[in-house]
Amino acid sequence: EGAGGLLSPLTWQSTALDLAVALDATVLVVAHDRLGAMNQSRLVIHCLRQAGCKLAGLILNGAPGSDEVTGSNSAALRRLEPETPVLSLPPMEHWHEAVPLLSPVMNWLKR
């Protein structure tokens, strides 16, 4: 997903979704694991499917400032979107801490 989100404009006439469609891209969705992630993730997944895009999977990023739903979104999304692989990452100090946890994503991208 592009910076700013799937429907963020790249120009006055096109969005990141338009670019994904034009490139026949496989899309990896990333969302913060907090309140609102369920709605945001499902809307993005719905838009991608409607546009005919391939979805690699969804990463829920455990960001600082977690709330009462952090940690429960992944199980709910797996149940509601069973055909979408979901990876939940805990909060981390540095990006390089995530590298060993991202191996499932490589398998998603190979599909």
Side-chain angles (χ1 to χ4, degrees):
E1 185 174 347
L6 192 64
L7 297 180
S8 293
L10 300 176
T11 69
W12 292 116
Q13 293 80 31
S14 64
T15 65
L17 178 59
D18 297 320
L19 179 62
V21 169
L23 295 174
D24 192 28
T26 299
V27 180
L28 178 63
V29 178
V30 179
H32 287 292
D33 188 6
R34 62 180 179 214
L35 188 62
M38 181 88 55
N39 182 61
Q40 174 194 357
S41 300
R42 294 191 77 205
L43 283 170
V44 168
I45 290 167
H46 177 77
C47 282
L48 289 168
R49 287 189 183 133
Q50 289 295 107
C53 290
K54 295 173 285 215
L55 174 63
L58 168 66
I59 296 176
L60 290 174
N61 187 18
S66 60
D67 57 31
E68 47 287 335
V69 300
T70 299
S72 64
N73 284 316
S74 60
L77 283 162
R78 283 185 191 101
R79 184 172 178 178
L80 293 167
E81 301 289 342
E83 61 283 343
T84 303
V86 178
L87 177 66
S88 183
L89 296 176
M92 295 173 216
E93 288 290 319
H94 302 284
W95 66 267
H96 58 81
E97 296 174 62
V99 172
L101 303 174
L102 294 173
S103 60
V105 177
M106 297 310 294
N107 293 327
W108 301 349
L109 295 172
K110 291 177 187 175
R111 295 186 286 135

